[in-house]
Amino acid sequence: MEIQKLKELKRYATIIRKDIIDQVYSAAAGHPGGSLSCADIVSVLYFKEMRIDPKRPHWEDRDRFVLSKGHCSPALYGALAERGFIPKEDLLKFRQASSYLEGHPSMKLIPGVDMSTGSLGQGISAAVGMALAGKLDGKDYRVYSILGDGEIEEGQVWEALMCAAHYKLDNLTVFLDHNGLQIDGKITDVLSPEPVKDKFEAFGLKVIVVNGHEHQQIVEAIDEAKKTKGKPVMIVAETVKGKGVSFMENEAGWHGTAPNKEQRDKAIAELDDLLAKLEVE
Amino acid sequence: MVKKIATRDAYGNALVEFGSDNKIVVMDADLSKSTKTELFKKQYPERFLNMGIAEANMMTAAAGMASCNKIVFASTFAMFASGRAYEQVRNSICYPALNVKIGATHAGITVGEDGASHQTIEDIALMRVLPNMTVISPADAVETRAAVKTAIETDGPFYIRLGRLAVPVINDENDYKFELGKGVLVSEGADVTIVCTGYMVSQTIEAGKLLEKEGIKPRIINIHTIKPIDKDILIKAAKETGAILTVEEHSIIGGLGSAVSEVIVENCPVPVKRVGINDKFGKSGKPDELLVMYGLTPENIAIKAKELLESKKNK
Ligand SMILES: Cc1ncc(C[n+]2csc(CCOP(=O)(O)OP(=O)(O)O)c2C)c(N)n1
Ligand SMILES: [Mg+2]
């Protein structure tokens, strides 16, 4: 990947992080932690990998994206706004009664949302269904999904993965946002799903482990996924919950808490600093 | 002798008959021999997907396929379709109003020997409360065939409630017209109305014969579409007959009896009595024995209709 593209991805990830903070701040509700941890994956998907067209959100041959961890809608909405699916100013109406930007993604209301999610464990099955449809129709679109590492405590996730492997869905690429935290604390304290890599492999997936904040690694993993035949691919992305905002990083408390004005300003200032640094790099 | 066919058999046959469109996909959860989707599998193996004993995944994957312009029939026992996968049906199928048709077989106590764990008597209640869901409970093989055709032709989620037991074919295939959301006037009496659904339609027709022997002319209405329900036919019946008995192979809580009561109470209050499962679980046994134990026989329906008629007269 050219330096220029890499820089662009970093810039978009940072802008999406700012969008996340502003949405959650203006709604005084929402989930900053997990949204920030998947912002780099989302930026690679929306600004490099996915074959999508903001003018045709229902284009039959588009790549699909299912945010299985639907509470991280601010990351998705940020990407949709920056990519031109929805007006950027609408982000500030996130979660408001007058807005279409529901707390959790709604495919009926929001252009560019391919599946309604929010109930953990279901999105991955919908992604499997889309991949099955693609195979049946002989289409070449690809399906992407992001799972939370607490989310995989849901039994349905494993039903879905069993199914994906059984039907050899090599058009399906799943990310695990492996940030180690869920609401009540560390995933290993709440109900450990570890060792995740071994489990995914045992379920018949090809597993690639990356640093989920390194765009280069994410891109390379997707390239490898595209070359993989006969198996779905799981990209285990090692991430930091709250990534990019110093006081939110690795704090379970920032899972579903909105920042106050002071915290919002501090977070935006940090992200603006990062943007300025990217400019001079 | 009347011909008897299980509605699940009619369902399997209808999937084959109307299933030539490439958009149609049939899923099952390791019950294709029982739900009769195996008939579709034989005809169109490439469009049949066995999703294994994983109903939650099946329902949501069906939604995902439907989002890609497929018409997906997802089949398993009604117990698991409506119960095990309830929240998947709600959040992944109904909320986005996706084109998934749930072919739910083995509903009610006439499942028989398998007993309570497999006899759902709550599914109508659970499914009709969901926004965007259409709920159909066909009376016989002819109505089932028509329901499947209509489900294919109509966009959006459907729940089609089917039975295991071979039941009388009461409609004539050649002149039967199925109208979604319209009740069927089975007989035109005016003494009392009996509203019924599913297999209980044929039981009620038998009850009607018993009543007529005693000089009572019931109006019998078959409600095959539980949702959206035909308000007009019910209000008219309430006005013209002054009392309504509901009969269903389902709990008296939340099912047809409740749906009818809601319409009547809001529009034209008259006495309503409900025949169904009285807030109990089912049990093992031969379907015919269970029907007697749970009061779902023509004799009991006739008794309840007469009681209602008496209370109406005494008012
Ligand atoms: C089925 C279901 N149960 C519970 C919740 C409530 N909930 C929302 S987010 C969350 C924790 C998710 O943790 P994780 O998957 O690790 O997400 P992340 O750390 O990426 O935010 C829970 C329990 C839900 N949305 N769905
Ligand atoms: Mg987590």
Side-chain angles (χ1 to χ4, degrees), chain A residues 34 37 69 71 148-151 177-183 187 239 241 255:
Chain A
S37 73
K69 47 173 219 154
H71 60 283
D149 55 359
E151 180 181 12
D177 187 349
H178 200 209
N179 58 30
L181 295 175
Q182 55 190 111
I183 295 182
I187 59 168
T239 55
K241 200 156 174 168
H255 170 83

Side-chain angles (χ1 to χ4, degrees), chain A residues 33-274:
Chain A
S35 300
L36 292 167
S37 73
C38 68
D40 298 296
I41 300 166
V42 168
S43 67
V44 170
L45 290 175
Y46 278 84
F47 291 95
K48 178 158 196 319
E49 292 301 341
M50 288 207 300
R51 184 170 74 195
I52 45 178
D53 178 359
K55 287 193 207 72
R56 291 181 293 165
H58 295 290
W59 177 30
E60 276 192 24
D61 293 322
R62 73 188 185 284
D63 287 345
R64 267 84 171 163
F65 174 65
V66 180
L67 184 63
S68 199
K69 47 173 219 154
H71 60 283
C72 298
S73 52
L76 173 58
Y77 297 169
L80 291 177
E82 302 304 336
R83 192 70 170 76
F85 282 89
I86 58 174
K88 186 156 172 161
E89 59 269 24
D90 291 0
L91 293 180
L92 299 181
K93 293 254 172 95
F94 175 52
R95 285 182 172 242
Q96 291 182 21
S98 61
S99 166
Y100 61 100
L101 294 180
E102 284 290 303
H104 295 84
S106 167
M107 65 182 287
K108 281 282 173 218
L109 301 176
I110 308 168
V113 170
D114 292 322
M115 183 66 201
S116 303
T117 53
S119 175
L120 296 172
Q122 295 192 34
I124 182 66
S125 293
V128 165
M130 293 171 185
L132 281 167
K135 286 276 176 200
L136 200 59
D137 289 339
K139 298 223 177 224
D140 68 348
Y141 64 74
R142 301 192 60 80
V143 182
Y144 297 94
S145 183
I146 303 181
L147 285 166
D149 55 359
E151 180 181 12
I152 63 171
E153 291 159 9
E154 281 286 355
Q156 182 173 355
V157 170
W158 302 94
E159 294 182 6
L161 298 180
M162 209 186 309
C163 183
H166 179 85
Y167 284 105
K168 304 186 167 54
L169 300 180
D170 50 21
N171 51 351
L172 174 69
T173 303
V174 184
F175 289 88
L176 179 75
D177 187 349
H178 200 209
N179 58 30
L181 295 175
Q182 55 190 111
I183 295 182
D184 283 346
K186 291 187 185 152
I187 59 168
T188 46
D189 288 339
V190 176
L191 185 74
S192 181
E194 302 293 349
V196 293
K197 182 168 184 283
D198 296 352
K199 282 181 181 155
F200 293 140
E201 275 169 354
F203 270 69
L205 286 88
K206 176 182 174 114
V207 182
I208 305 169
V209 181
V210 300
N211 178 328
H213 303 306
E214 289 293 337
H215 298 88
Q216 181 75 39
Q217 289 188 28
I218 299 169
V219 169
E220 281 166 13
I222 294 176
D223 283 345
E224 200 177 329
K226 284 181 179 164
K227 283 185 215 132
T228 304
K229 295 283 167 248
K231 278 181 176 208
V233 172
M234 175 68 71
I235 301 176
V236 173
E238 300 299 346
T239 55
V240 172
K241 200 156 174 168
K243 176 74 181 178
V245 176
S246 59
F247 58 93
M248 290 185 177
E249 289 191 359
N250 272 321
E251 289 290 337
W254 282 105
H255 170 83
T257 312
N260 62 27
K261 174 85 172 82
E262 196 184 319
Q263 291 162 330
R264 179 257 169 208
D265 292 346
K266 185 160 188 288
I268 294 292
E270 287 185 17
L271 292 164
D272 278 336
D273 271 358
L274 202 64

Side-chain angles (χ1 to χ4, degrees), chain B residues 183-201:
Chain B
V184 181
L185 193 60
V186 179
S187 74
E188 301 222 24
D191 293 333
V192 60
T193 298
I194 311 180
V195 181
C196 43
T197 193
Y199 171 39
M200 289 302 113
V201 176

Side-chain angles (χ1 to χ4, degrees), chain B residues 226-266:
Chain B
I226 307 256
K227 187 187 176 187
I229 201 160
D230 184 349
K231 291 184 183 167
D232 295 342
I233 201 170
L234 296 174
I235 294 168
K236 185 164 184 281
K239 284 187 181 144
E240 292 175 5
T241 71
I244 296 184
L245 185 73
T246 62
V247 188
E248 64 199 301
E249 191 191 344
H250 183 275
S251 172
I252 56 166
I253 301 173
L256 175 74
S258 297
V260 170
S261 301
E262 288 156 15
V263 174
I264 297 306
V265 168
E266 282 193 347

